[in-house]
């Protein structure tokens, strides 16, 4: 017996068949009793439920009549009279509403324990009980909460449904948890701009409807998006079921509880990657890193940076990009995350070096690696992957066979022989099952029996799998073999159009490879399993150079088409396209450096700004340095500016680059070259004539003038320049330019003593820079935002921002956050804590680029103020003078003026301070 009230009221008999309840009144009576199963319900309550506001004259008698109608339908004795009314005595699980509540509670408890897979299972089962509208407001709220819990498990498992979240947020605009989940899902999908737009919509809705600010939970989600806290590469989605390996899953789980590094080892095709994926889907915070596409060990740290969604530098600070390993240590130091490093055998030395460094420096980090060989690190726990167990091999074969040939009758004994012939290797089983599209089962078995009788002396399972792949290869027609060979040159997969162009074969041919399980397709990208890709690459032979040239030329065309668009309103769209092809771009550059320096030079130049905007300046640096060494001072014809940009980008051959820059008539196609040049020193050879008259170049020149006048203390002139530049950047649609200029305008407003205006401008800069995924600068902007909050007296909000940013591990932003917390302590009179925080901040912020130098000067001014408050005037003066001198060394007159005003005890006006500094220190600027 089951009763359903979650939708239309229904009654099902013991055999599951529906039972006729009659009209609306007996249904209403049954619903009222079922919702209170096991508890008496008063007659008055039941009358209200059945008749509403218009009960009949003899309501109690009428109710008895309705009770008599439903009693025969229920188990004998289950509906009884009670002194208080009537009571329905059934197992609560027989009523869908109560079963729903039990499962929803179980799901929420499992979610709290971090068991996301089982939590999702319980929550999905609970929500599937719903067939229509809720019978009560309370149950409707519980349903929404269960949906939110289920979405939380989706986020944790790396499989959120953005479309569903959009619809739910639109239908429930005041549910802030849903809003936050939508933001996190969009950010995890690399759509930071949409995530920020969603927050703005929520903020406006709450303000307009209730005059309220977003909750702390929603505000934290907003800050996390701005600071890039959740853009990690998710665990790859799988298109087929996972069969067996329960024992191995438990083994990995137990090993990771005892050790921080676990390596799944086994031959190609054993299912190492799939096992790692299935385990990782059970973990809350996990990042998946694919290493098979890398060309050498030196690229491993950068691959992990990219997968984590980190950047090796911000967009505002300039200067040299930090060491990638140091950047990883900073980003992972305080995070309890599982890092999955897949296919380590391709770059075993680099992977081992990085793992050793990260585990030593990041106490909460755990690493799950897959490799054909051990990493060889102390503390490594190995999980050798055996062949699938016999029953599991048969089940896997049957599932894959019925996918390609539905209804085909399989003989279990023959299937077992097929699976044994491929040594129980999952990839071999899948390839064999795919052959049933063209062969009968006994034909497949006979062929594999012959293959398994070959030379199996060294590594038998390698021999077997290669034989199975070779058989699959032999069954391809000429076009399919050509497509398979050439497709192997792609790193990280290919779009359909790219595969057709580079491989010179149609989509139908590619579809044939998908059908034969040699190529898999997911989200519009086609890629081979690594074992298959390696085999197909071996078949290239004399065709290798031609295929790789076509691959490089294709991605060069993409880079050259994208480059000017990265300075327009289409910036985010083109960055997303290039990001999707990042591995292919780097692979093409690697080939071209050794094979065609002209292609390499053009490709390196046209990806420079993309890498800068993505915060991946370190990626490709080694290759470009190698290229410039090979070229020497010889500039390929017509590629002067490409040579110039590459020389500046890696700080080599700059003397030769300076000669090129002085050539008459040169007009820059890469106008940001000047900014990159400035980062490595001076660019005295640059004249304004080399810039074009396009809007972006004009905006860039006004920005440069704004910076020059700002650092000379001419605030009014500087503001005008930045306002003009900002207007031009808005016309162009370049978010990098908008964020830079708005940030500078915010700084000027702060210097002029208008924290409210500065705060509004910083909020805009944070939103715009967040669209580019710039965690470093978004975090630094949050610190400057908090500085203004302190000046406005909103200390609690400022402290919360400082603390959040301090936990991100970004340098020198962490120093800025600790300085801010120290300033709050100083203003509260806690001088000991203030001094400790300022000294910690100073140690964290080494002298370096302009941004770091300014932070150091602010820290030193804070230490001076603390010393003065403690009565140590000499120590205070020493700190102020040091702050002033460090600012002057960076030609930052406004920051020097701040320190000078502290020195003067506030006795000088801003103009008097600037005049004194100009007279004493900067007459030669």
């Amino acid at each position: 017996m089951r009763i359903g009230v979650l939708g239309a009221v229904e009654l099902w008999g013991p055999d599951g068949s529906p039972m006729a309840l009659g009209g609306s009144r007996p249904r209403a009576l049954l619903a009222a009793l079922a919702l209170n199963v096991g508890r008496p319900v008063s007659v008055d309550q039941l009358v209200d439920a059945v008749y509403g506001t218009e009960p009949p004259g003899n309501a109690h008698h009428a109710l008895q009549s309705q009770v008599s109608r439903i009693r025969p339908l229920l188990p004998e004795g289950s509906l009884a009279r009670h002194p208080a009314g009537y009571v329905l005595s059934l197992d609560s699980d027989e009523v869908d509403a109560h079963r729903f509540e039990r499962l929803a509670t179980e799901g929420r408890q499992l979610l709290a324990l971090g068991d996301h897979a089982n939590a999702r299972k319980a929550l999905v089962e609970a929500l599937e009980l719903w067939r229509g509208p809720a019978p009560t407001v309370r149950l409707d709220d519980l349903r929404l909460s269960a949906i939110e819990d289920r979405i939380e498990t989706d986020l944790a498992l790396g499989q959120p449904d953005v479309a569903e979240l959009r619809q739910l947020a639109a239908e429930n605009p005041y549910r802030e948890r849903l809003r936050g989940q939508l933001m996190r899902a969009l950010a995890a999908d690399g759509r930071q701009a949409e995530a920020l737009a969603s927050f703005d919509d929520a903020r406006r809705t709450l303000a307009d409807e209730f005059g309220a600010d977003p909750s702390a939970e929603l505000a934290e989600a907003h800050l996390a998006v701005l600071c890039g806290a959740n853009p990690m590469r998710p665990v790859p989605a799988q298109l087929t079921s996972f069969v067996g390996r329960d024992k191995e899953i438990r083994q990995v789980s137990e090993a990771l509880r005892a050790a921080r590094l676990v390596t799944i080892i086994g031959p190609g095709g054993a299912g190492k990657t799939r096992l790692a994926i299935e385990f990782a889907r059970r973990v809350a915070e996990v990042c998946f890193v694919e290493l098979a596409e890398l060309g050498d060990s030196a690229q491993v740290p950068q691959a992990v940076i990219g997968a984590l969604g980190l950047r090796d530098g911000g967009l505002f600070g300039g200067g040299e990009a930090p060491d990638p390993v140091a950047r990883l240590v900073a980003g992972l130091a305080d995070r309890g995350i599982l890092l999955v490093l897949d296919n380590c055998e391709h770059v075993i030395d680099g992977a081992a070096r990085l793992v050793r460094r990260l585990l030593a420096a990041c106490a909460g980090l755990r690493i799950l690696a897959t490799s054909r060989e051990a990493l060889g690190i102390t503390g490594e726990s190995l999980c050798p992957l055996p062949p699938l167990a016999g029953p599991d091999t048969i089940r896997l074969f049957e599932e894959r066979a019925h996918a390609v040939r539905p209804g085909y009758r399989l003989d279990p004994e023959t299937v077992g022989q097929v699976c044994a012939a491929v040594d129980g290797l999952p990839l071999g089983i899948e390839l064999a099952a795919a052959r049933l599209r063209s062969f009968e089962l006994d034909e497949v078995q006979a062929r594999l029996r012959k293959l398994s009788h070959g030379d199996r002396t060294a590594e038998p399972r390698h021999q077997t799998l290669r034989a199975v792949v070779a058989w699959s290869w032999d069954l391809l027609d000429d076009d399919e073999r050509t497509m398979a060979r050439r497709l192997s040159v792609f790193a990280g997969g290919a779009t359909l159009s790219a595969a057709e162009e580079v491989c010179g074969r149609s989509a139908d041919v590619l579809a044939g490879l998908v059908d034969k399980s040699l190529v898999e397709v997911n989200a519009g990208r086609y890629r081979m399993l690594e074992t298959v890709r390696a085999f197909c690459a071996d078949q290239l032979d004399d065709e290798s150079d031609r295929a790789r040239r076509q691959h490089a030329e294709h991605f060069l065309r993409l880079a050259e088409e994208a480059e000017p668009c990265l300075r327009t309103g289409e910036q985010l769209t083109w960055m997303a396209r290039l990001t999707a092809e990042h591995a292919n771009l780097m692979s093409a550059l690697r080939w071209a450096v050794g094979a065609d320096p002209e292609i390499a030079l053009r490709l390196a130049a046209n990806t420079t700004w993309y890498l800068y905007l993505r915060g991946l300046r370190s990626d490709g640096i080694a290759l470009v340095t190698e290229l410039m060494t090979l070229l020497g001072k010889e500039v390929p014809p017509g590629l002067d500016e490409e040579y110039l940009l590459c020389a500046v980008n890696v700080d080599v051959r700059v003397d030769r680059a300076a000669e090129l820059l002085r050539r008459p008539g040169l007009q820059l196609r890469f106008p940001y070259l000047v900014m990159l040049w400035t980062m490595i020193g001076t660019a005295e050879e640059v004249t304004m004539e080399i810039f074009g008259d396009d809007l972006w170049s004009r905006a860039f020149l006004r920005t440069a003038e704004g910076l020059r006048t700002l650092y000379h203390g001419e605030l009014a002139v500087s503001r005008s320049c930045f306002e003009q530049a900002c207007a031009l950047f808005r016309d162009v649609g370049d978010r990098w330019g908008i964020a830079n200029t708005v940030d500078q305008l915010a700084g000027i407003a702060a210097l002029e003593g208008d924290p409210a205006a500065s705060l509004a401008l910083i909020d805009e800069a944070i939103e715009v820079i967040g669209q580019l995924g710039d965690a470093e600068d978004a975090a630094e902007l949050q610190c400057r935002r908090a500085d203004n909050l302190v000046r406005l007296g909103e200390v609690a909000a400022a402290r919360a921002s400082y603390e959040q940013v301090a936990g991100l591990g970004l340098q020198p932003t962490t120093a800025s956050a600790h300085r801010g917390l120290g300033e709050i302590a100083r203003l509260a009179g806690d001088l000991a804590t203030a001094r400790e925080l300022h000294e910690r901040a100073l140690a964290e912020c080494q002298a370096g680029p302009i941004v770091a130098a300014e932070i150091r000067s602010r820290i030193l001014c804070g230490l001076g103020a603390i010393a003065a408050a403690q009565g140590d005037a000499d120590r205070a003066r020493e700190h102020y003078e040091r702050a002033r001198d460090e600012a002057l060394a960076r030609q930052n007159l406004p920051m020097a003026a701040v320190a000078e005003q502290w020195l003067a005890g506030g006795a000088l006006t801003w103009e008097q301070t600037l005049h004194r500094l100009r007279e004493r220190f900067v007459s030669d600027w």
Side-chain angles (χ1 to χ4, degrees):
M1 177 70 65
R2 288 186 299 114
I3 301 173
V5 297
L6 301 179
V9 179
E10 301 286 353
L11 180 64
W12 296 278
D15 62 353
S17 59
M19 303 179 70
L21 278 169
S24 60
R25 287 173 178 169
R27 292 178 185 274
L29 174 61
L30 181 61
L33 291 165
L35 287 169
N36 294 278
V37 70
R39 300 192 303 270
V41 187
S42 72
V43 171
D44 288 342
Q45 285 178 286
L46 293 173
V47 168
D48 287 343
V50 174
Y51 298 104
T53 58
E54 298 180 359
N58 191 347
H60 287 199
H61 181 73
L63 179 66
Q64 287 178 344
S65 177
Q66 297 297 338
V67 170
S68 299
R69 290 181 64 181
I70 68 169
R71 183 176 275 130
L73 303 175
L74 299 168
E76 185 175 354
S78 60
L79 177 55
R81 197 71 168 85
H82 187 277
Y86 290 90
V87 62
L88 178 62
S89 300
L90 292 173
D91 184 340
S92 61
D93 251 23
E94 293 181 339
V95 179
D96 59 2
H98 296 291
R99 180 171 174 79
F100 161 75
E101 289 196 55
R102 180 182 65 76
L103 288 167
T105 300
E106 179 184 326
R108 173 163 288 190
Q109 291 170 343
L110 289 168
L111 177 62
L113 293 171
D115 188 351
H116 299 102
N118 285 319
R120 190 181 193 283
K121 182 178 178 181
L123 290 162
V124 167
E125 185 179 347
L127 292 166
E128 285 177 345
L129 294 170
W130 285 79
R131 296 166 291 105
T136 67
V137 172
R138 185 184 73 86
L139 279 170
D140 194 43
D141 284 341
L142 289 176
R143 179 182 64 86
L144 272 173
S145 294
I147 290 173
E148 290 170 338
D149 287 342
R150 194 262 302 155
I151 290 169
E152 198 65 35
T153 67
D154 291 343
L155 286 163
L157 296 171
Q159 51 191 23
D161 186 334
V162 173
E164 177 197 30
L165 271 165
R166 283 194 189 282
Q167 181 177 345
L168 286 167
E171 292 171 353
N172 304 276
Y174 310 129
R175 300 281 296 200
E176 292 187 73
R177 188 182 182 197
L178 278 174
R179 295 276 199 166
Q181 289 174 327
L182 173 58
M183 289 171 59
R184 290 162 55 201
L186 289 166
D189 197 36
R191 295 150 72 178
Q192 273 79 10
E194 294 177 64
L196 294 168
S198 174
F199 175 78
D200 285 341
D201 179 64
R203 181 169 54 184
R204 283 193 301 271
T205 299
L206 293 169
D208 293 346
E209 297 291 334
F210 306 110
D213 292 326
S215 66
E217 180 181 7
L218 190 57
E220 286 178 7
H222 179 230
L223 182 57
V225 172
L226 289 169
C227 294
N230 191 27
M232 290 189 300
R233 185 175 301 165
V235 177
Q238 300 301 297
L239 305 180
T240 57
S241 59
F242 181 64
V243 175
R245 300 298 195 195
D246 292 339
K247 177 182 177 182
E248 287 78 8
I249 288 281
R250 289 194 298 273
Q251 183 183 359
V252 170
S253 179
E254 291 167 2
L256 276 170
R257 279 197 289 269
R260 294 173 57 213
L261 169 61
V262 174
T263 304
I264 303 171
I265 59 172
K272 302 183 294 295
T273 297
R274 189 63 189 270
L275 177 63
I277 287 172
E278 292 303 322
F279 175 79
R281 285 161 60 86
R282 296 162 165 78
V283 179
E285 192 175 12
V286 60
C287 178
F288 189 89
V289 189
E290 172 57 74
L291 301 179
E293 61 199 30
L294 302 186
D296 60 67
S297 288
Q299 295 177 292
V300 175
Q302 203 68 47
V304 179
I305 284 177
L308 284 164
L310 300 176
R311 302 166 62 94
D312 60 20
L315 298 178
F316 293 176
E320 294 182 1
D323 169 35
V325 179
R327 177 67 187 90
L328 281 172
V329 169
L332 292 171
D334 299 317
R335 295 176 67 178
I337 183 175
L338 175 68
L339 199 61
V340 180
L341 302 180
D342 190 38
N343 288 307
C344 291
E345 67 273 3
H346 297 273
V347 284
I348 192 73
D349 292 337
R353 284 194 300 271
L354 179 64
V355 167
R356 184 181 293 108
R357 174 80 180 274
L358 292 180
L359 289 176
C362 309
L365 178 67
R366 293 179 300 155
I367 296 176
L368 176 62
T370 74
S371 181
R372 295 183 187 179
E373 58 180 299
L375 271 62
I377 298 174
T378 301
E380 178 182 25
S381 177
L382 299 180
C383 287
L385 195 57
L388 272 176
D392 291 331
T393 63
I394 294 173
R395 185 156 63 95
L396 176 62
F397 187 95
E398 290 176 342
E399 286 192 14
R400 302 302 188 260
H402 289 141
V404 300
R405 198 167 174 179
Y408 184 71
R409 295 189 63 182
L410 294 166
D411 173 50
E413 183 178 351
T414 307
V415 170
Q417 293 170 358
V418 168
C419 296
V422 296
D423 293 325
L425 293 172
L427 177 57
I429 293 170
E430 296 194 6
L431 290 173
R435 299 286 71 80
L436 290 179
R437 188 183 298 276
S438 306
F439 293 88
E440 297 302 316
L441 178 61
D442 58 350
E443 294 175 314
V444 173
Q445 188 269 340
R447 176 65 179 177
L448 290 175
R449 186 173 62 248
K450 292 180 181 178
L451 293 176
S452 65
H453 289 163
D455 178 13
R456 302 165 64 87
T457 56
E459 296 179 72
R461 283 191 277 166
H462 280 268
Q463 299 272 351
T464 300
L465 185 62
R466 185 172 180 84
V468 176
V469 175
W471 180 40
S472 297
W473 174 268
D474 291 341
L475 295 173
L476 302 179
D477 62 31
D478 288 343
D479 281 344
E480 288 174 331
R481 289 178 189 173
T482 299
M483 174 69 86
R485 283 195 302 268
R486 296 175 183 175
L487 194 65
S488 69
V489 304
F490 284 89
T495 62
L496 178 59
S497 60
E500 287 183 307
E501 180 180 329
V502 172
C503 301
R505 295 297 183 270
S506 70
D508 290 339
V509 179
L510 186 58
L513 296 177
V514 174
D515 287 342
K516 295 174 176 64
S517 297
L518 292 172
V519 172
E520 58 184 15
V521 57
N522 191 8
R525 293 190 71 82
Y526 295 80
R527 62 184 299 163
M528 294 174 164
L529 291 175
E530 189 55 29
T531 302
V532 175
R533 178 172 177 251
F535 178 91
C536 293
D538 288 343
Q539 313 310 309
L540 277 168
D541 295 329
D542 296 338
E543 198 180 0
S544 177
D545 187 72
R546 177 175 176 271
R548 295 189 185 283
R549 180 176 296 278
Q550 289 178 323
H551 175 268
E553 289 174 346
H554 172 84
F555 286 101
L556 173 59
R557 286 192 293 274
L558 174 66
E560 289 182 333
E561 182 183 4
E563 194 280 329
C565 298
L566 294 175
R567 301 190 297 281
T568 71
E570 298 179 32
Q571 188 176 59
L572 296 181
T573 300
W574 281 98
M575 281 183 64
R577 285 190 63 181
L578 294 175
T579 298
E581 302 295 355
H582 184 87
N584 280 310
L585 290 165
M586 293 299 104
S587 176
L589 179 59
R590 189 178 309 111
W591 171 84
V593 166
D596 193 322
E598 291 192 17
I599 288 180
L601 199 59
R602 291 166 61 194
L603 188 55
N606 281 280
T607 53
T608 292
W609 193 237
Y610 152 69
L611 292 172
Y612 180 80
L613 291 176
R614 281 276 285 114
L616 299 176
R617 282 172 280 169
S618 298
D619 220 358
I621 288 292
L623 290 171
V624 179
T625 302
E626 180 183 348
L627 173 64
M628 298 305 294
T629 301
L630 289 171
L631 289 172
K633 294 190 175 185
E634 294 300 317
V635 182
L639 298 179
D640 288 6
E641 193 173 344
E642 284 80 358
Y643 182 97
L644 176 61
L645 182 56
C646 288
V648 169
N649 195 27
V650 297
D651 196 11
V652 297
R653 307 290 180 198
V654 177
D655 54 341
R656 180 73 174 107
E659 294 176 23
L660 298 175
L661 199 59
R662 288 194 292 268
R663 284 187 178 177
L666 175 66
Q667 193 162 81
L668 294 177
R669 287 175 287 111
F670 306 109
Y672 45 81
L673 180 152
V674 175
M675 183 192 75
L676 297 176
W677 196 315
T678 304
M679 288 181 185
I680 64 172
T682 61
E684 296 175 359
E685 298 88 350
V686 175
T687 62
M688 296 305 99
E689 289 75 20
I690 67 174
F691 286 92
D693 194 41
D694 60 286
L695 290 182
W696 198 94
S697 293
R698 286 159 53 192
F700 182 81
L701 287 172
R702 297 312 296 156
T703 301
E705 181 63 12
L707 287 170
R708 187 190 69 79
T709 52
L710 173 63
Y711 289 136
H712 283 71
E714 302 169 27
L715 299 188
V717 177
S718 179
R719 186 192 315 105
S720 176
C721 290
F722 285 127
E723 287 172 346
Q724 293 172 47
C726 187
L728 291 169
F729 278 129
R730 290 187 196 280
D731 289 342
V732 172
D734 179 17
R735 293 160 183 81
W736 172 83
I738 295 169
N740 267 277
T741 50
V742 170
D743 175 43
Q744 297 297 340
L745 289 168
I748 292 172
L751 286 171
E752 292 178 334
D754 191 347
S758 179
L759 188 65
L761 288 163
I762 285 176
D763 282 343
E764 181 183 358
I766 286 173
E767 179 180 349
V768 176
I769 205 67
Q771 294 174 19
L772 292 172
D774 184 358
E776 283 74 6
D777 291 318
E780 178 56 34
L781 287 168
Q782 284 289 344
C783 283
R784 295 209 281 277
R785 186 180 193 279
D787 292 345
N788 284 305
L789 289 173
V790 170
R791 297 184 189 108
L792 291 169
E794 300 181 31
V795 175
R799 178 183 289 108
S801 288
Y802 287 135
E803 288 173 346
Q804 177 118 14
V805 171
L808 296 176
L810 302 173
Q811 302 294 348
T813 308
T814 299
S816 188
H818 286 140
R819 181 208 64 80
L821 291 169
E823 180 66 4
I824 289 175
R826 183 185 74 83
L827 294 172
D830 186 355
L831 299 181
T833 299
R835 180 173 180 176
E836 178 185 347
L837 284 165
H838 275 80
E839 288 177 343
R840 178 179 178 182
L842 191 63
E844 292 169 334
C845 187
Q846 301 303 313
I850 293 172
V851 171
E854 183 165 323
I855 293 171
R856 281 180 60 84
S857 291
R858 292 185 181 278
I859 295 169
L860 289 166
C861 285
L863 284 168
I866 294 165
Q870 292 175 327
D872 190 343
D874 291 340
R875 186 67 172 163
R877 172 169 291 277
E878 180 183 332
H879 285 308
Y880 294 143
E881 289 178 344
R882 187 177 168 193
R884 179 196 64 198
D885 294 344
E886 289 200 12
L888 289 172
R890 282 290 180 178
Q891 298 189 344
N892 186 339
L893 195 59
M895 189 62 240
V898 170
E900 189 72 12
Q901 283 191 314
W902 279 103
L903 270 169
L908 298 176
T909 66
W910 179 256
E911 289 301 328
Q912 289 172 332
T913 306
L914 291 175
H915 179 72
R916 173 188 286 189
L917 289 173
R918 288 189 183 110
E919 278 193 330
R920 294 175 57 191
F921 297 106
V922 298
S923 58
D924 58 339
W925 279 13

